[in-house]
Amino acid sequence: VIETLQGAHLPASILESEILPTRVLNYRPSDLDILIAAGEVVWVGLDPLGERDGRIALYLSEKLSSLWPAAQDNPTPLNDREQQIIDYLRARGASFFQDLHDGLGGGYPGETLDALWSLVWKGLITNDGLSALRAYCEKPSTSKRGTRRVHNQLSFRSRRTTPPTGQGRWALQSAAFADQQQRATAWRHALAQQLLNRYGVVFRETAHAENISGGFSAVYDVLKAMEESGKIRRGYFAADLGATQFALPAAVDLLRSLRTGAVGQADPDRIEMIQLAATDPANPYGALLRWPAGGDEASSLTRSVGARVILCNGYLTAYLRRGNPALQVFLPEDEPQRSNFARALADFLFHHAQQPDEDTEARGGILITTINGTPVAEHWMSRYLLDAGFTPGAMGLNVRRRLPTLPGVKAESRPNA
């Protein structure tokens, strides 16, 4: 999974709650910890997102030097504290926070901590674990009942004064300090191969979605040379996208089988639903593809952290905003596809709401007040939601949150409405 995601911009706050669990069955944060501690995987900060989040990238250790983009001609300026940290780590190597802070002359720990994270988001230093990153993204609970995030393990209190966001050993991010002139050509070749492995088909919009320095031209010559040598194919494989497209032979064969229906011949009526974070690289909408038209609310759709999309057979079917009970749906105009998609979406929403909540171990629950701006009770899709198991309430249709059953206490039986 990490090999495919290398270099993709991933919000740190949902890395272990949405990005990796979507791809890895029974994902456990300890598995990623082991890979990082063993030196198999490296995480690198890219840019901050507000005060408690940021975009990071994961790399296989042996690929970092080739996939890390070459530095620009105007390097990022550093303040005095940041430069002191760089100099200390260059001289002493990987160091724990307390040793680093004392080595800089002590003082207010918060100043050292702020400088550390500023360097993280500039891609200049990294950490040999994820504990500090998890603590950085941890948001204070607003409820009286304690919550447990998916990544929390047994609590640990340092006997020293190391803050949670300073745990682990800090070290220079080696690729950021390598000879950039020698790396430029190798980076373009590695990046082109990585994009092909991730997407199958690469076109101009891919460079925009990946925020590649230099745009599509950074990899065009490499892709052209690969096509001329017979390693990949060039053609017009995906409609309504850039005319210059390069694809792996296996991807072309898969696209052809989807077009001719060979994949679905065993069950032509099969409907596959999947929910993704709106920022997930596997969600093409808002990056490779435009958001579908659908009124004023559709024009405000964004790939924001916390928002989710539901794809039905690859098509965007629903959009859920973070902490917002308004549901936006995009359904076919023709029957029976319209009814089939609506029924499948209602069943998916109900059953997904029955899954345990990662933060509280309770059943998740969901409330829908409007659909496409219309009160849910007045929308034609409400009958499918009711058939699926939703319950009418004062604010709309909902699936109630189920609290975890305590040992020795018999759960109360509640009939389905």
Side-chain angles (χ1 to χ4, degrees), residues 26-27 83 101 111 138 163 224 233 247 263 358-359 395:
N26 299 324
Y27 170 76
Q83 187 61 55
H101 179 63
E111 182 182 0
E138 188 75 45
K224 181 180 177 182
R233 299 179 185 177
V263 171
E358 297 289 359
D359 288 341
M395 300 182 65

Side-chain angles (χ1 to χ4, degrees), residues 93-106:
S95 303
F96 291 104
F97 175 81
Q98 195 62 52
D99 298 331
L100 174 61
H101 179 63
D102 293 341
L104 299 181

